[in-house]
Amino acid sequence: MLQSLPSEDYNLGFAVIYHQQILGGINRKSSQVVPKGYQHILALAFAVMEINENPQLLPNHTLGFHIYDSYVDARKTYHATMLLLSTLENFSPNYVCGIKNNLTAVIGGLDSQISLYVGTILDIYKIPQLIYGPAPVMNGKTPGLPFYQMAPQEDLQFAGILSLLLHFRWIWIGITVMDNDNGEIFVQNVIPLFLNNGICLAFLERIPKYSFVTEGLAMMQKGAKIHDIIMGSKANVVVVYGEFYFMVFFRWLPYLSEVEHMTNNIKSKVWVITGQVEFISLNYQRNWDARIFHGAISFRIHSNNLPGFHQFVKGRNPSSTAGDDFIWDFWQQAFFCVFPNRVLGDLKGDICTGTEKVESLHGSFFERTMAGQSYIICNAVYAVAHALHAMFLSRCKHAGMVDGRSLKLQKQQFWQLHHFLRGVSFNNSAGDKVSFNQKGEVVSGLDVINWIISSNQSFHRVRVGRIDPQAAPDQVFTIDEDTITWHSWFNQTQPHSLCTESCHPGSSKKVKEGEPSCCYDCIPCPEGKISNQDDMNDCNKCSDEKYPSKNQDVCIPKDRNFLSYEEPLGISLAFFALSFAFITVLVLRTFLKNHSTPIVKANNRNLTYSLLISLLLCFLCALFFIGQPQKVICLLQQSAFGIIFTVAVSCVLAKTVMVVLAFMATKPGSRMRKWVGKKLANSIVLSCSLMQAGICTLWLAISPPFPDVDMHSVIGEMILRCNEGSVIMFYSVRGYMGFLAIVSFTVAFLARKLPDSFNEAKFITFSMLVFCSVWLSFVPTYLSTKGKYMVAVEIFSILASSAGLLVCIFSPKCYIIVLRPELNNREQLIKKKPE
């Protein structure tokens, strides 16, 4: 089919568009054309008209064009391309046999394979081809053809789809593609991209190309299966990648099903549609319900309304448009009427009046605003015009002047147009900049479009977002959620598309064996871990300063805690420590006041005073363990307690030894008398204490105690405590005291049956029994206790063992001194127990 706009004799070239007016595979007799495609023709004619009327762009030159239909057929495409290179009336390529087409450039087409067929021939003559569909699939056997791609690279569109899916967290999706090379490229390149970003496929369906026309029954069956798979899937989002006419097949979906109940269960999906797919209808589909696609989201090259185009379209009608053979077919298909003697195939209807209004047509038949592919075609025509303008200016600069006039350009070498096309850059009448990058791809973004389909089947688009590759990284993809209209099936709320309902905070995902990663079970976080977001792959530990909440969905700062004077336990222990210290002072005062009495003299006054003073310091030493640990306090806690308590135990040991020696010295001829005296007692106390002091000094030298924070013993608390530093040295100090206590207990136990004059051994035995019992029970209790209660156990052990020594050793003596002073005489002390 050929249409030529009139051109003047000095025409320099024709901008030729390859357009796919007839739906793939249907010939003219089938009467099934695509009315919406007529807008592409009008966009071409509008652009050529504006250029020819612009005296500044191509003065003294006129652009014309031919339009050929490819019929989506390789043979006819090659034939039409050869016609472009031949004379107007004869098919004689490479021969000048009449008036030859002055071919400048080719614009087309929507089908990438058609562009490839055309390009293989045009490349021989170095004629540029500006394509407004997807880039052809190239292979190793296909040379690099000089395409100028008027639509952005599909990679930008695919990245936009990925951003859209991730933005709405649609991770369980279905995909339908055309079963051709481009569809396979999509499957091989884009699906792995989705999978790597956590998006899983519920299904992948390939639509056989043209089968729904040439094999009607088989296609119906295939369509029914696809319908049931799509509608039966839990995936609420379906990504559609196909050709310009792909939507004709999907218009059948609401009417196809192999499952009876599914046809009555009307529901929808969120259709995410690639830019080359247009919402079109054939004549017989004009009244079909298309609300299944209401709320769909598609990607389209960024475009704006061109001034004057609407009026240009409004003024077109069959009676006033000379030379436009396409308008007759369009008019009959769009308005379902016929012109006498111009009936297209078996089309039937009322007689066309020619006064029908284009404004009354649904958007699926015709759109009055220029957008999508029409906008690209218009830009392509202007790009060729600007390149021609630049080429003519370049020629004029090198041409000589004869009698003040420019030399006539006898022969134009239009293969040189490539150089100027690569550098073309201009602003169209809508204010958008048009230019190419080094790869011959137009520098442009994409609009995110929301399809609105009303109950009366009226159709329009709303721009809801943008993909701008030249924006800052965080602004490349933008979308306004509030402007999106969702299908009523979703109750106008943002749809979800998940294989499994989200795992809420406090749980994590566990992928089901043998299923995609998007299908999982939700398991509670283990103790000590939290998840604070939906669908976390694993639970995380809180930092040491925080602990999990009850629901394990947030980390709560831990309270800093230690045994303080402000809490009941600390107050109680401090009270007992001071009380026992006060009692010890009273006992010491009593002994000092009665230091000349026989009972005080008989029990070695110096050892008694040393023991009482050391016990007093032991009680006061317990106060080091209460309050916030500091560096000096930690150093004094263990070392001071260890040395002081060792002095006390050493005094008890010395008293025990002295009791035994005193008894042995009373025997006739005994040599033990020379050992009885202060020197031996002082030597025992001093040597035992120095040994412990040496251990403590070594401890402080190699690994001293230090303030520390226990993060893990008690949930929700950070326990401030003194770290022992060296555990070995800590138990060495305790072990040495225990050794002295056991020795004292053993000696005292052996001397427990001495005469009454020396019955202090009995009291020492009891005191050591208490002492050993307390510290033997201390070890397991201390190890099984956590937090500040470990400190409380240690304080209790110190107070209990010290109180045991005080009570067992000094209570009988105080009883005699205070309450029974008559017994405090030498006769009573030396009186033997009756046999």
Side-chain angles (χ1 to χ4, degrees):
M1 197 173 174
L2 171 65
Q3 169 68 27
S4 173
L5 292 184
S7 61
E8 301 183 21
D9 292 338
Y10 55 88
N11 178 298
L12 290 178
F14 294 91
V16 181
I17 178 171
Y18 244 78
H19 179 68
Q20 194 176 307
Q21 170 68 6
I22 307 299
L23 186 63
I26 306 180
N27 57 32
R28 299 283 295 167
K29 295 181 180 180
S30 68
S31 73
Q32 297 300 333
V33 300
V34 182
K36 196 168 187 176
Y38 182 60
Q39 188 193 61
H40 302 340
I41 299 173
L42 295 183
L44 172 68
F46 175 74
V48 172
M49 180 193 72
E50 282 197 327
I51 292 169
N52 288 335
E53 292 176 354
N54 186 348
Q56 304 297 324
L57 189 54
L58 289 176
N60 302 322
H61 302 92
T62 302
L63 286 182
F65 60 88
H66 287 283
I67 299 178
Y68 284 86
D69 196 336
S70 67
Y71 293 92
V72 198
D73 180 81
R75 183 179 61 84
K76 291 184 178 182
T77 299
Y78 284 123
H79 179 266
T81 307
M82 296 302 295
L83 285 175
L84 292 173
L85 302 170
S86 304
T87 59
L88 292 180
E89 298 179 355
N90 299 306
F91 184 73
S92 304
N94 298 327
Y95 290 91
V96 180
C97 302
I99 301 175
K100 187 177 186 297
N101 284 335
N102 199 0
L103 184 61
T104 301
V106 170
I107 303 173
L110 276 176
D111 189 283
S112 59
Q113 287 301 102
I114 297 300
S115 299
L116 183 59
Y117 299 150
V118 176
T120 54
I121 296 179
L122 295 182
D123 186 48
I124 300 173
Y125 301 92
K126 306 303 179 186
I127 297 174
Q129 181 183 6
L130 292 84
I131 59 175
Y132 57 98
V137 178
M138 313 296 282
N139 53 53
K141 298 180 180 180
T142 305
L145 301 178
F147 293 112
Y148 295 88
Q149 190 170 339
M150 298 305 299
Q153 271 285 355
E154 287 192 317
D155 290 345
L156 179 64
Q157 184 174 196
F158 299 152
I161 294 175
L162 175 62
S163 299
L164 178 74
L165 297 176
L166 295 178
H167 176 82
F168 289 113
R169 298 187 70 250
W170 293 333
I171 60 173
W172 184 240
I173 66 170
I175 292 180
T176 61
V177 300
M178 182 64 80
D179 192 8
N180 58 13
D181 290 340
N182 279 334
E184 194 59 33
I185 292 262
F186 182 91
V187 171
Q188 293 178 2
N189 296 338
V190 179
I191 291 181
L193 177 66
F194 288 176
L195 297 178
N196 291 337
N197 284 273
I199 297 172
C200 305
L201 299 187
F203 57 85
L204 170 62
E205 291 297 320
R206 292 176 170 87
I207 310 300
K209 194 173 182 180
Y210 314 129
S211 295
F212 56 89
V213 175
T214 57
E215 301 173 10
L217 180 60
M219 193 56 202
M220 292 296 178
Q221 294 174 346
K222 176 69 174 178
K225 291 181 180 179
I226 293 176
H227 170 270
D228 294 344
I229 290 173
I230 293 176
M231 295 305 171
S233 173
K234 292 170 58 178
N236 285 326
V237 175
V238 181
V239 176
V240 179
Y241 176 81
E243 306 294 350
F244 166 74
Y245 46 81
F246 212 39
M247 194 51 62
V248 171
F249 167 76
F250 281 94
R251 294 287 308 267
W252 278 95
L253 286 184
Y255 305 96
L256 302 176
S257 178
E258 292 185 339
V259 182
E260 182 178 354
H261 70 83
M262 197 169 287
T263 58
N264 299 322
N265 185 18
I266 301 175
K267 67 182 202 178
S268 184
K269 304 290 183 179
V270 178
W271 304 88
V272 179
I273 303 171
T274 52
Q276 59 269 31
V277 178
E278 286 283 347
F279 186 74
I280 60 176
S281 297
L282 298 182
N283 191 292
Y284 65 86
Q285 295 176 317
R286 65 172 57 241
N287 295 319
W288 287 13
D289 188 359
R291 284 177 295 171
I292 187 176
F293 305 107
H294 177 62
I297 297 176
S298 68
F299 293 81
R300 186 180 63 183
I301 186 172
H302 174 66
S303 57
N304 285 308
N305 289 329
L306 295 178
F309 181 71
H310 180 72
Q311 292 300 322
F312 176 79
V313 172
K314 189 175 180 181
R316 309 284 294 188
N317 62 71
S319 60
S320 63
T321 306
D324 186 354
D325 288 341
F326 289 105
I327 196 169
W328 303 97
D329 297 339
F330 163 73
W331 212 266
Q332 292 182 116
Q333 291 286 337
F335 295 106
F336 203 62
C337 61
V338 295
F339 289 104
N341 303 321
R342 284 185 177 269
V343 178
L344 181 63
D346 57 356
L347 185 65
K348 298 179 181 179
D350 298 331
I351 301 298
C352 296
T353 64
T355 60
E356 290 85 358
K357 300 297 183 183
V358 176
E359 289 84 353
S360 65
L361 295 176
H362 291 164
S364 62
F365 277 90
F366 189 79
E367 291 187 73
R368 293 174 294 281
T369 58
M370 184 183 296
Q373 283 88 7
S374 299
Y375 185 79
I376 299 174
I377 291 170
C378 193
N379 284 340
V381 176
Y382 266 96
V384 173
H386 279 275
L388 286 171
H389 179 74
M391 186 175 72
F392 296 156
L393 288 179
S394 177
R395 295 282 185 98
C396 288
K397 290 180 180 179
H398 297 88
M401 301 296 294
V402 179
D403 297 331
R405 294 175 298 174
S406 299
L407 289 175
K408 186 177 181 181
L409 301 176
Q410 296 290 343
K411 188 176 182 181
Q412 300 295 336
Q413 299 293 331
F414 286 108
W415 58 266
Q416 298 175 356
L417 190 62
H418 285 288
H419 170 74
F420 298 96
L421 267 174
R422 294 188 187 99
V424 73
S425 179
F426 63 93
N427 289 335
N428 61 21
S429 57
D432 291 335
K433 184 178 180 180
V434 180
S435 62
F436 296 101
N437 59 22
Q438 295 179 348
K439 297 180 179 179
E441 302 161 357
V442 73
V443 180
S444 178
L446 295 169
D447 291 332
V448 183
I449 303 299
N450 187 206
W451 291 9
I452 308 299
I453 302 175
S454 304
S455 57
N456 63 356
Q457 306 308 307
S458 62
F459 167 80
H460 69 280
R461 296 182 173 95
V462 177
R463 185 184 302 172
V464 296
R466 179 79 192 274
I467 301 174
D468 186 359
Q470 296 177 306
D474 59 339
Q475 296 294 322
V476 171
F477 175 81
T478 56
I479 192 165
D480 184 1
E481 299 179 22
D482 296 333
T483 60
I484 298 177
T485 300
W486 305 109
H487 195 279
S488 58
W489 172 265
F490 304 109
N491 296 322
Q492 290 301 321
T493 59
Q494 178 191 320
H496 299 287
S497 191
L498 304 169
C499 178
T500 305
E501 287 298 323
S502 296
C503 292
H504 299 299
S507 60
S508 63
K509 299 190 300 184
K510 181 181 179 182
V511 178
K512 297 179 180 179
E513 187 176 354
E515 296 193 22
S517 59
C518 297
C519 302
Y520 46 80
D521 293 321
C522 297
I523 58 173
C525 289
E527 185 177 355
K529 291 186 176 183
I530 65 107
S531 63
N532 55 4
Q533 296 178 2
D534 289 339
D535 294 329
M536 291 190 65
N537 292 322
D538 197 7
C539 299
N540 300 320
K541 283 187 176 181
C542 294
S543 62
D544 289 341
E545 293 79 15
K546 298 181 179 180
Y547 70 99
S549 63
K550 182 179 180 181
N551 295 328
Q552 294 181 281
D553 56 356
V554 67
C555 290
I556 303 174
K558 292 181 179 179
D559 295 329
R560 296 170 66 87
N561 206 348
F562 55 89
L563 186 62
S564 68
Y565 291 104
E566 299 177 357
E567 58 182 306
L569 181 60
I571 294 172
S572 300
L573 292 174
F575 172 76
F576 283 115
L578 293 175
S579 298
F580 282 119
F582 178 71
I583 294 173
T584 305
V585 171
L586 292 179
V587 173
L588 179 61
R589 182 176 179 276
T590 301
F591 271 69
L592 289 173
K593 186 177 180 180
N594 298 277
H595 70 283
S596 299
T597 59
I599 197 168
V600 175
K601 290 181 180 180
N603 288 281
N604 197 325
R605 286 181 296 186
N606 292 336
L607 284 178
T608 299
Y609 298 153
S610 299
L611 178 58
L612 286 171
I613 292 173
S614 62
L615 288 176
L616 172 63
L617 295 177
C618 283
F619 289 126
L620 296 177
C621 182
L623 300 178
F624 283 144
F625 294 84
I626 305 176
Q628 183 172 349
Q630 304 292 336
K631 184 175 181 180
V632 176
I633 296 298
C634 289
L635 292 174
L636 291 176
Q637 267 187 7
Q638 301 299 336
S639 57
F641 166 70
I643 294 173
I644 293 170
F645 223 87
T646 299
V647 172
V649 177
S650 299
C651 291
V652 174
L653 177 61
K655 290 175 69 67
T656 306
V657 172
M658 293 303 296
V659 169
V660 175
L661 292 179
F663 173 76
M664 295 177 66
T666 58
K667 293 182 179 181
S670 176
R671 299 180 180 180
M672 292 297 178
R673 292 186 179 183
K674 61 180 180 179
W675 295 101
V676 179
K678 296 180 180 181
K679 290 184 179 180
L680 178 61
N682 294 338
S683 298
I684 292 175
V685 173
L686 187 60
S687 60
C688 292
S689 301
L690 287 177
M691 179 67 72
Q692 184 72 295
I695 297 174
C696 291
T697 302
L698 181 62
W699 185 6
L700 297 178
I702 60 175
S703 182
F706 58 89
D708 193 13
V709 181
D710 183 1
M711 300 286 190
H712 309 292
S713 295
V714 180
I715 297 176
E717 293 183 359
M718 292 188 295
I719 305 299
L720 306 183
R721 67 183 184 90
C722 289
N723 190 305
E724 294 84 4
S726 174
V727 178
I728 295 177
M729 298 305 297
F730 172 77
Y731 285 106
S732 296
V733 170
R734 291 292 193 274
Y736 182 72
M737 288 190 299
F739 169 74
L740 293 179
I742 291 173
V743 172
S744 298
F745 172 76
T746 303
V747 175
F749 180 79
L750 295 176
R752 70 188 184 284
K753 294 185 179 181
L754 293 176
D756 286 349
S757 303
F758 306 101
N759 62 3
E760 190 175 21
K762 295 180 180 179
F763 305 133
I764 293 175
T765 301
F766 290 134
S767 66
M768 287 295 99
L769 182 61
V770 173
F771 182 91
C772 292
S773 299
V774 169
W775 286 104
L776 285 175
S777 61
F778 162 78
V779 174
T781 306
Y782 182 80
L783 295 177
S784 62
T785 311
K786 297 180 180 180
K788 62 184 179 182
Y789 297 103
M790 295 179 67
V791 180
V793 168
E794 192 166 3
I795 295 174
F796 175 80
S797 299
I798 293 172
L799 297 179
S801 57
S802 301
L805 293 178
L806 179 65
V807 172
C808 292
I809 294 178
F810 292 101
S811 58
K813 299 178 178 61
C814 291
Y815 173 76
I816 292 174
I817 294 173
V818 177
L819 300 178
R820 301 291 299 274
E822 68 276 7
L823 299 179
N824 191 5
N825 54 68
R826 193 169 184 276
E827 289 76 13
Q828 290 292 330
L829 292 176
I830 62 175
K831 184 174 66 173
K832 293 185 179 180
K833 183 179 179 179
E835 298 286 336

